[in-house]
Amino acid sequence: MTTPDIHTLVGAYVLDAVDDTERTAFEAHLPACPACRAAVREFRATAALLGTARAREPGRRFARTCSTSWAGLRSCRPRLTAVGLAVAGRGAPELDQHPAGQLLGLAAVGDHVSDHGQDRTGQLVGQPLEGRSVPPGGEGDQPLRCEVRRHPRRPGAKACRLTGMWGRTAWTTSDRLREQSWYLRPQEPGTCFPRRRGKQTSAHTQSRSLRVNSIASTEAPPRQATRAPAAVVKRSSTRVDSESRSRAWHSRGTPSSRMRSRISAGSPSCSTDTTANSTG
Amino acid sequence: MTPEELIGRAAAGDERAFAQLYDHLAGPIHGTVQAVLRAPALAEEVTQEVLLEIWRKAAQFDPERTPKVRTWALTIAHRRAIDRVRSEQAGRDRQDRAARLDVQRPYDEAAEEMLSTMDEERVRRALGELTPLQREAVELAYYHGLTYREVAEKLAVAEGSVKTRIRDGLVRLRAALGTYR
């Protein structure tokens, strides 16, 4: 493309109406062309109004989650390749103080297994996230719980713990997250599916509903009792010490009534986890 | 606190600031993404990704380049939505896609639906000040994710003409909308 031509791309560039080659060429052109830089800046503000005019709040099920793992994500930003976003109920003080009651909660989860048992002793970052997995074929969904803790020995690193995969526990550290991770889906609270970076084919989109087994194949042996209680999706909002947490979470949660009613409508609660009794 | 102040705090790790920013941005981001992607579930998924990207890139927000956070956020949002549309179309014939749009949805339908808020009304009026061809080109590109080549094909006009119309359309929109935010 010749230089005279490339100036004419400015409008199409701002509206993302160029192909990748043209975008690259135009972006290479920008540093040398103050006029195009100025036009891009102005047109972007205008284009944003086209988007603003369509403002629509996401569905109510979207992102009613805890706000707490954001800090954990920041520190692993450069290497973060996948995250989980879980839906949890309202109920924690910081959510209630928030007018919209809508906060995003993110927890990094992964399938790298740490062999450092001490990872789990770090300070908990935010609230644990809980949900359900839905395995391929739709049989026997499993409750999940994700915790993010500060790594006890690597400053800035976070250790993420995924519990409940067939009663076992998988650990990862935030600086070792691998490409495929697990994503708790907002449309169907707790549904979990693997997510890859980059472009997704439609085939991938269709097939990503869940292969929890693949995480089970890499997980560490259970080192704490993590019996999987059934049938509720909720969020713990009370504090328990780290020793009892893995056994206690089922009974200590205070899910929002709204969330609970919505969830339990589809999956009647059956609180059968006897290991939770000690914290009642 | 303005979004610009909030994102500065978010960049420093202030989660509450980001929560407030979320209130400012989630609606516009979701609306933009939804306009391009149509499928609600897909739009929510992309909206999440955009919000995450904003969180992760909060420190990169540069008021010199983009004075308003909303503009910056919607630039990201639109780009991600377009990326998703095109990746999902990657295995298909692009011409076929442009043709299908005819069947699925007239080009101007998008502009006519959901016009209820003041923002929408004002933008609608501004779009109405464009020439029909400018308006078509801008809407097909922004709301439908077509490249200018696809727009040219769809409207049966020269590619160069579409580039010009998009640019002129944006100039006119900017004049009509002024500094309105």
Side-chain angles (χ1 to χ4, degrees):
Chain A
M1 182 173 293
T2 63
T3 300
D5 278 341
I6 206 160
H7 297 287
T8 66
L9 274 180
V10 61
Y13 169 79
V14 168
L15 298 189
D16 296 315
V18 292
D19 63 30
D20 290 345
T21 307
E22 290 164 328
R23 176 182 289 126
T24 303
F26 190 80
E27 288 176 349
H29 160 74
L30 273 178
C33 184
C36 282
R37 283 205 305 277
V40 165
R41 176 173 159 154
E42 291 174 359
F43 287 167
R44 278 201 168 136
T46 302
L49 294 175
L50 294 173
T52 301
R54 297 300 183 83
R56 301 182 103 187
E57 292 303 320
R60 294 175 60 82
R61 283 183 292 179
F62 180 78
R64 277 192 198 105
T65 65
C66 71
S67 65
T68 46
S69 294
W70 290 106
L73 287 176
R74 276 197 80 238
S75 65
C76 53
R77 178 181 296 159
R79 299 281 304 271
L80 187 70
T81 56
V83 297
L85 190 155
V87 173
R90 293 179 62 185
E94 69 271 21
L95 291 177
D96 287 338
Q97 286 167 11
H98 199 258
Q102 286 190 325
L103 296 170
L104 280 177
L106 291 160
V109 294
D111 58 355
H112 176 82
V113 175
S114 165
D115 55 0
H116 302 296
Q118 290 172 324
D119 288 357
R120 71 195 62 190
T121 66
Q123 180 189 356
L124 190 68
V125 177
Q127 295 287 344
L129 301 174
E130 296 175 9
R132 297 197 73 85
S133 67
V134 178
E139 298 175 5
D141 58 339
Q142 293 284 309
L144 302 177
R145 172 189 173 87
C146 177
E147 291 175 354
V148 180
R149 292 177 182 272
R150 299 191 192 285
H151 198 289
R153 281 170 288 103
R154 285 208 292 267
K158 299 294 183 294
C160 311
R161 181 188 195 206
L162 196 59
T163 303
M165 314 301 258
W166 286 274
R168 291 189 273 181
T169 299
W171 271 96
T172 186
T173 46
S174 56
D175 53 352
R176 291 191 208 160
L177 283 174
R178 280 162 45 172
E179 184 156 300
Q180 179 167 308
S181 187
W182 304 94
Y183 200 35
L184 299 181
R185 195 176 182 147
Q187 295 86 14
E188 303 157 29
T191 306
C192 180
F193 58 91
R195 175 173 182 274
R196 291 197 179 93
R197 297 288 286 177
K199 293 181 177 178
Q200 293 185 339
T201 64
S202 58
H204 177 239
T205 303
Q206 290 163 4
S207 67
R208 68 185 164 198
S209 59
L210 219 276
R211 287 177 290 114
V212 178
N213 282 315
S214 65
I215 207 170
S217 68
T218 61
E219 72 196 3
R223 297 179 65 161
Q224 293 185 359
T226 54
R227 285 186 50 188
V232 288
V233 176
K234 65 180 184 180
R235 169 182 172 178
S236 294
S237 59
T238 52
R239 295 193 173 196
V240 293
D241 64 87
S242 60
E243 292 302 315
S244 62
R245 186 180 294 278
S246 67
R247 290 177 290 115
W249 65 271
H250 179 62
S251 65
R252 294 296 293 269
T254 54
S256 75
S257 56
R258 180 186 305 159
M259 195 71 170
R260 169 177 274 171
S261 63
R262 182 163 56 77
I263 300 303
S264 60
S267 57
S269 175
C270 46
S271 303
T272 57
D273 185 5
T274 55
T275 64
N277 292 342
S278 62
T279 61
Chain B
M1 210 178 292
T2 67
E4 289 69 35
E5 290 168 327
L6 289 170
I7 200 158
R9 291 180 176 227
D14 183 337
E15 296 159 20
R16 286 177 186 274
F18 190 82
Q20 287 182 266
L21 197 58
Y22 172 92
D23 277 354
H24 284 282
L25 297 178
I29 288 173
H30 185 247
T32 300
V33 170
Q34 171 101 59
V36 174
L37 288 175
R38 309 299 159 82
L42 191 59
E44 290 199 351
E45 185 183 322
V46 173
T47 299
Q48 280 176 35
E49 292 172 1
V50 170
L51 285 162
L52 174 63
E53 185 171 348
I54 287 166
W55 167 251
R56 290 169 62 192
K57 290 184 172 175
Q60 295 172 24
F61 172 73
D62 179 2
E64 295 294 317
R65 290 183 62 190
T66 317
K68 288 194 177 299
V69 169
R70 179 178 291 192
T71 299
W72 178 70
L74 290 183
T75 300
I76 293 173
H78 191 258
R79 175 76 185 276
R80 294 293 164 258
I82 294 287
D83 286 348
R84 182 61 71 93
V85 161
R86 291 184 187 163
S87 70
E88 300 221 333
Q89 295 289 338
R92 304 177 194 170
D93 180 3
R94 300 297 298 273
Q95 294 180 348
D96 185 40
R97 172 171 167 252
R100 279 198 308 278
L101 278 172
D102 266 337
V103 177
Q104 294 175 346
R105 190 183 186 90
Y107 70 84
D108 59 349
E109 184 186 330
E112 300 303 327
E113 65 178 20
M114 304 187 299
L115 291 177
S116 58
T117 69
M118 272 175 49
D119 282 347
E120 290 169 354
E121 178 61 25
R122 182 144 182 179
V123 168
R124 188 170 69 92
R125 273 191 271 122
L127 283 167
E129 293 179 24
L130 307 187
T131 68
L133 285 172
Q134 285 172 351
R135 176 176 170 165
E136 285 169 6
V138 167
E139 289 183 349
L140 285 170
Y142 192 82
Y143 291 129
H144 292 265
L146 269 61
T147 67
Y148 72 87
R149 287 199 179 84
E150 291 168 327
V151 173
E153 190 170 334
K154 185 172 173 57
L155 300 180
V157 296
E159 290 176 1
S161 174
V162 171
K163 284 191 282 190
T164 305
R165 280 169 184 157
I166 289 175
R167 188 185 56 191
D168 292 350
L170 285 170
V171 168
R172 199 177 282 204
L173 275 178
R174 189 183 68 200
L177 294 164
T179 56
Y180 169 74
R181 57 177 297 279

